[in-house]
Amino acid sequence: MDSWIAIIRLDLALFLRDRKALVLLYLVPVLMAAFFGQLTGGTGGKAERSAIGLVLVDLDGSAASRGVVAAFTNDSTFAVVVTNEAAARDRVTAGRVPVGLVFPPGFSTNLLQGIFQSDRRPVVTLLFDPSHETERSLLEGMLVPKVVSGVADGLLNVDVGRDLIARGRTNILRAQRLPEIQRRLLLDSLAQADAFLESRRTSVARTNAVAGPAELPLPYRVDAQPLTRVAGARYNGFAHSFAGMSLQFVLMVMIDLAVGLLTERQSGTFRRLRAAPLSRATLLLGKATSYAIIALSTFVVSFAVAMSAFGVRIHGSWIGFVAVILALCYFSATLALALAAIGRTPKATRGLAIPVVLILLMLGGAWIPSFIFPSWVRTVSLWMPTGWGIEALDAMTWRGLDVSAVFLPVAGLVAVGTLLGGIAWRRFRWDGGPGS
Amino acid sequence: MNTEGSAPVVLAARNLVRRFGDRVAVDGISFEVRAGESVGLLGPNGAGKTTTFSMVTGLLRPDSGELLLGGAALVSDTDPIKRRLGLVPQDLALYEELDARRNLGFFAAIQGVGRSRIPEAVRSALEFVGLSDRADDRVGTFSGGMKRRLNLAAALLHDPDILLLDEPTVGVDPQSRNAIFDNIAELRRRGKTLLYTTHYMEEVERLCDRVIIIDRGRIVADDSLARLRHRAGAGAGAELRIELEEPAPETLTGILRDIPGIGSVRIDGRSVQVRVGSLAAGSSQVLGRLAEAGIGVRSFSAEPPNLEAVFLELTGRSLRDS
Ligand SMILES: Nc1ncnc2c1ncn2[C@@H]1O[C@H](COP(=O)(O)OP(=O)(O)O)[C@@H](O)[C@H]1O
Ligand SMILES: [Mg+2]
């Protein structure tokens, strides 16, 4: 019993020794919980979600299509950019916007006729980034109410619809050979359509999102086109997950290495290094290089498996791919050194490194699709070097972009790595604890 | 004061001071070491020996004072003059996960031994400390004594001419300890300059020609071993140890104090310690008086005065229990 209590007391006393680690231990879970809770909806109040990027191309330019465009623009679910078709395709291909819609010429006319004749239905092209299936389905679902309300709005605002109906009625009345009974039926249905439009005028203003009746055929068809640069390239979910997971593993190993460096410093071997004609620069450079090599080996193994067993291909530039991997290794290695330099003790470094790495991975988009983040988090995400790296790997693998797509991410990773290296250089103390 | 007064000074410390917070670990230490000398730095734990070594090897910057290696101050971490130094740290400085050969290979490279010469340097260092047959075993599997020997070998790879040995035998079995002594004696014979810290005076007595005694960050004595002995024994004096047949009578102290030229007298039950000025005259007189008083002697021994006594005299404290 006494020894049991003695063990407990000793452990707690040891545990309480490292104040810095202690603060992290208690603070970090709270901060992380608050942070992740915020990401996943907070207290159920109107958490402000960030908008889904959407490019719209209106080749029709009619009142109806403009109504649909306006319906999307007014919906805060989407961040709409209206542009031409080539630009829209470019944006989606490069992964800058997850989804896009192209409304064809004659959209509104065909839409009205499509109500009665299924072969006249207009084809709306849905462009999407194959790694954003969620956004694509969401958009496809939202298209129905948007078209209904947008077309109605567009028509009602200028009374084009009723004008069309009026012209229809004229045509029907002029048609000589139409049997009287059919003439009456058509005129009746036009009158009903007219009344329907009239009723939409008032109800649309109140409920903007009435789903189209599911049992009726839609008055348009959707042609969904996944966009990647290379003709044969197909989206490969493994490409993305291997990028994310290998980076995750590399960063975990870096935590270990940072802690190991401090443990090594506490051991006598550093005294020997100090006594030798060796500079701190050589020491740090040596450490950084070995960490980078360890990181590189992880990436090489991961992608070798991804390519041989999971069909991952470099559809973009090999040079770009290698450049991104090397930049990530540089970034990871200097991150380890900076963490060790800032943490100073093994325990504190672990406490610091774990949340840093989790946030880097989380916000880098390794785990959760970024569109569910609140917009302020998305803004922060844009600053995550891990995110640059993962996106750049995506660009070189399944997206098949050319090498220019990695210039910026690689430059960013190198810049941040250099900054971290600078921090390590300034702050790392290589004389360990007491010598006796 | 030096035994090798003609050899050049290879290491000079002038007024070194180093504090850790409020504690002054080294408080104005000055000494010189000449080429080929073998100097013992003797002092109790916490005296400042390791801190002094750390300053000499550039691990710690002195708060004040000056250090000259071969007449020049260390200018940077990479100063090539550091190659003249070999440090055997007090704490084992080895990578336990790696085998002995890789450990030494790494330290040789760090010391600037050329790549082509490393295998030979490692081989001869291992042979020197008698670990050739364990070269490819993980250091973690070594006994404490073997690790100490490897710790010594790691300082020899670049063939430095000044060796700083910080308690190289601490916590080792007698066998390894003798092996390390033999190694150090051999290094001395090869003309290396040795600076050796310990709190075991037997080591200093066995290995050094000169002794610097440190206490609480200050030098309390710096002299040749012979002279320090002389000083402690006040001439060719000796320490007599007598074991009596019966517990000593009260009157014994008075009887012994009456003898001319007698030093300190300590009596504890049957055991008696007497410091005398001269071994021959002193011992015959002491034994004569005991016989006169009818006090039976079971055993008798005489020792020349040792550094323990010198330390006691200089600091008023014993070396071991401070
Ligand atoms: N890094 C350090 N931080 C704080 N105090 C130290 C440090 N190194 C040594 N000391 C203190 O300085 C004094 C001298 O230590 P040291 O030089 O190791 O003594 P020795 O080697 O003679 O046993 C001791 O009181 C010790 O506690
Ligand atoms: Mg010491």
Side-chain angles (χ1 to χ4, degrees):
Chain A
M1 187 67 173
D2 275 359
S3 41
W4 177 59
I5 289 171
I7 290 169
I8 296 170
R9 291 181 54 148
L10 174 75
D11 268 7
L12 294 182
L14 289 174
F15 178 71
L16 293 173
R17 291 278 316 157
D18 195 338
R19 291 286 148 81
K20 206 161 159 188
L22 211 61
V23 169
L24 286 167
L25 177 79
Y26 294 128
L27 213 59
V28 166
V30 173
L31 290 180
M32 298 286 283
F35 179 69
F36 282 87
Q38 170 81 39
L39 292 190
T40 47
T43 47
K46 262 284 188 191
E48 182 230 348
R49 290 274 160 77
S50 69
I52 299 171
L54 170 67
V55 273
L56 294 178
V57 181
D58 183 1
L59 299 178
D60 188 24
S62 68
S65 61
R66 275 186 272 129
V68 178
V69 169
F72 275 109
T73 311
N74 294 334
D75 187 338
S76 61
T77 312
F78 297 99
V80 174
V81 175
V82 180
T83 179
N84 62 41
E85 184 165 2
R89 284 178 180 275
D90 266 0
R91 277 170 189 248
V92 176
T93 308
R96 274 182 288 149
V97 178
V99 280
L101 290 171
V102 182
F103 298 103
F107 170 71
S108 67
T109 331
N110 292 337
L111 192 67
L112 279 175
Q113 284 166 346
I115 297 176
F116 308 105
Q117 285 169 272
S118 66
D119 58 332
R120 297 292 301 268
R121 280 185 284 170
V123 176
V124 178
T125 308
L126 195 162
L127 311 170
F128 72 102
D129 178 334
S131 66
H132 289 261
E133 267 298 339
T134 328
E135 285 91 333
R136 173 231 158 137
S137 344
L138 187 76
L139 178 62
E140 217 171 319
M142 296 282 275
L143 192 53
V144 181
K146 289 290 185 255
V147 168
V148 170
S149 68
V151 168
D153 263 358
L155 294 181
L156 292 173
N157 284 346
V158 285
D159 284 328
V160 174
R162 301 178 89 182
D163 179 47
L164 265 173
I165 288 166
R167 271 196 274 147
R169 179 181 287 130
T170 319
N171 283 339
I172 291 163
L173 291 173
R174 277 208 206 117
Q176 304 284 327
R177 289 193 285 156
L178 205 60
E180 188 55 26
I181 203 97
Q182 280 190 14
R183 198 191 305 270
R184 285 240 67 85
L185 270 170
L186 283 172
L187 287 174
D188 268 6
S189 56
L190 280 181
Q192 272 170 22
D194 201 26
F196 169 74
L197 288 179
E198 178 57 32
S199 75
R200 294 297 302 173
R201 187 208 287 274
T202 45
S203 72
V204 155
R206 270 180 275 118
T207 58
N208 201 19
V210 177
E215 64 273 15
L216 284 183
L218 294 171
Y220 58 84
R221 281 194 298 119
V222 171
D223 172 26
Q225 297 183 1
L227 294 190
T228 50
R229 177 70 75 201
V230 179
R234 222 165 29 82
Y235 174 57
N236 183 329
F238 288 113
H240 182 78
S241 64
F242 269 90
M245 286 303 123
S246 50
L247 182 59
Q248 167 170 348
F249 206 81
V250 162
L251 294 184
M252 299 285 176
V253 171
M254 291 303 135
I255 296 179
D256 246 31
L257 291 172
V259 172
L261 173 60
L262 295 175
T263 320
E264 186 188 345
R265 184 178 67 180
Q266 283 176 346
S267 81
T269 48
F270 256 52
R271 297 177 67 76
R272 226 191 261 292
L273 305 194
R274 282 288 271 146
L278 172 76
S279 70
R280 216 166 55 97
T282 311
L283 175 80
L284 289 177
L285 205 65
K287 291 288 173 191
T289 312
S290 64
Y291 297 172
I293 291 171
I294 291 168
L296 181 63
S297 68
T298 307
F299 284 121
V300 167
V301 171
S302 280
F303 276 96
V305 172
M307 286 177 197
S308 55
F310 295 92
V312 172
R313 292 287 171 272
I314 309 298
H315 290 295
S317 146
W318 265 99
I319 292 174
F321 177 74
V322 171
V324 177
I325 294 284
L326 291 179
L328 277 171
C329 293
Y330 177 66
F331 164 76
S332 306
T334 53
L335 177 68
L337 286 182
L339 287 171
I342 294 169
R344 298 210 166 166
T345 68
K347 226 178 181 176
T349 299
R350 198 182 294 280
L352 169 74
I354 289 173
V356 166
V357 165
L358 286 184
I359 286 172
L360 278 172
L361 290 170
M362 172 89 207
L363 294 189
W367 301 330
I368 301 182
S370 54
F371 80 94
I372 80 146
F373 293 163
S375 61
W376 69 267
V377 181
R378 256 192 117 171
T379 313
V380 176
S381 294
L382 294 178
W383 292 93
M384 290 294 129
T386 41
W388 308 338
I390 292 175
E391 294 222 334
L393 287 177
D394 278 353
M396 293 302 99
T397 52
W398 61 268
R399 271 193 216 286
L401 303 189
D402 64 48
V403 69
S404 65
V406 305
F407 288 168
L408 215 56
V410 166
L413 283 167
V414 169
V416 174
T418 305
L419 187 74
L420 291 169
I423 291 173
W425 168 251
R426 287 186 70 96
R427 293 208 41 168
F428 187 77
R429 298 196 39 206
W430 73 338
D431 32 350
S436 44
Chain B
M1 295 283 246
N2 289 304
T3 48
E4 321 223 343
S6 53
V9 171
V10 287
L11 175 65
R14 298 206 215 297
N15 269 313
L16 292 181
V17 175
R18 174 69 201 209
R19 296 182 194 84
F20 294 105
D22 290 340
R23 172 176 293 136
V24 186
V26 170
D27 191 6
I29 277 182
S30 304
F31 61 87
E32 283 185 350
V33 179
R34 289 177 187 272
E37 257 193 307
S38 178
V39 179
L41 230 58
L42 181 69
N45 278 320
K49 305 182 295 294
T50 298
T51 306
T52 302
F53 268 20
S54 296
M55 289 188 280
V56 171
T57 47
L59 271 67
L60 283 176
R61 210 181 290 275
D63 291 327
S64 65
E66 192 186 22
L67 250 165
L68 300 175
L69 260 176
L74 278 184
V75 288
S76 72
D77 284 337
T78 51
D79 199 324
I81 208 168
K82 276 179 155 183
R83 296 219 174 102
R84 296 188 60 186
L85 294 177
L87 173 67
V88 181
Q90 179 175 351
D91 297 321
L92 288 172
L94 302 164
Y95 294 95
E96 302 235 331
E97 307 82 358
L98 303 179
D99 63 38
R101 198 187 300 280
R102 295 212 58 165
N103 264 280
L104 296 190
F106 171 67
F107 290 124
I110 291 294
Q111 285 291 356
V113 177
R115 195 187 298 198
S116 60
R117 287 183 297 121
I118 288 178
E120 174 52 25
V122 169
R123 196 201 55 76
S124 77
L126 282 169
E127 191 182 293
F128 184 73
V129 298
L131 287 173
S132 300
D133 54 333
R134 299 296 299 267
D136 298 310
D137 292 348
R138 261 186 348 105
V139 172
T141 66
F142 283 17
S143 74
M146 289 162 69
K147 286 179 191 168
R148 278 283 155 203
R149 278 144 70 190
L150 192 62
N151 203 41
L152 170 63
L156 306 176
L157 296 156
H158 57 298
D159 195 27
D161 48 293
I162 306 168
L163 275 163
L164 298 144
L165 304 118
D166 198 354
E167 314 222 9
T169 62
V170 78
V172 300
D173 56 286
Q175 196 191 337
S176 287
R177 191 184 171 120
N178 277 329
I180 293 172
F181 277 168
D182 290 347
N183 288 156
I184 295 172
E186 171 63 19
L187 289 169
R188 185 179 168 188
R189 210 182 50 72
R190 290 183 189 176
K192 302 285 182 199
T193 307
L194 301 181
L195 205 57
Y196 186 111
T197 82
T198 182
H199 58 273
Y200 298 117
M201 52 193 187
E202 310 88 82
E203 297 191 355
V204 172
E205 288 178 331
R206 208 173 135 182
L207 296 170
C208 304
D209 354 274
R210 192 177 128 213
V211 184
I212 297 174
I213 299 179
I214 301 187
D215 187 40
R216 300 179 188 188
R218 291 171 179 274
I219 291 182
V220 295
D222 177 355
D223 217 332
S224 72
L225 191 58
R227 255 196 274 240
L228 279 172
R229 279 216 182 103
H230 186 78
R231 188 163 144 192
E239 180 98 0
L240 306 183
R241 288 166 200 258
I242 305 158
E243 198 67 23
L244 303 178
E245 300 274 6
E246 308 277 334
E250 303 264 311
T251 51
L252 185 58
T253 313
I255 295 171
L256 293 175
R257 284 263 155 83
D258 277 352
I259 302 170
I262 204 94
S264 59
V265 176
R266 268 189 284 171
I267 300 177
D268 180 16
R270 294 177 195 214
S271 82
V272 178
Q273 277 184 48
V274 186
R275 172 72 54 83
V276 291
S278 136
L279 179 61
S283 52
S284 68
Q285 274 182 315
V286 168
L287 290 173
R289 289 291 168 93
L290 288 172
E292 277 170 30
I295 298 168
V297 172
R298 177 181 290 166
S299 72
F300 172 87
S301 68
E303 279 177 15
N306 57 32
L307 290 174
E308 173 87 57
V310 178
F311 190 80
L312 192 70
E313 189 185 303
L314 289 169
T315 66
R317 292 181 301 124
S318 137
L319 200 51
R320 292 292 167 78
D321 52 38
S322 42

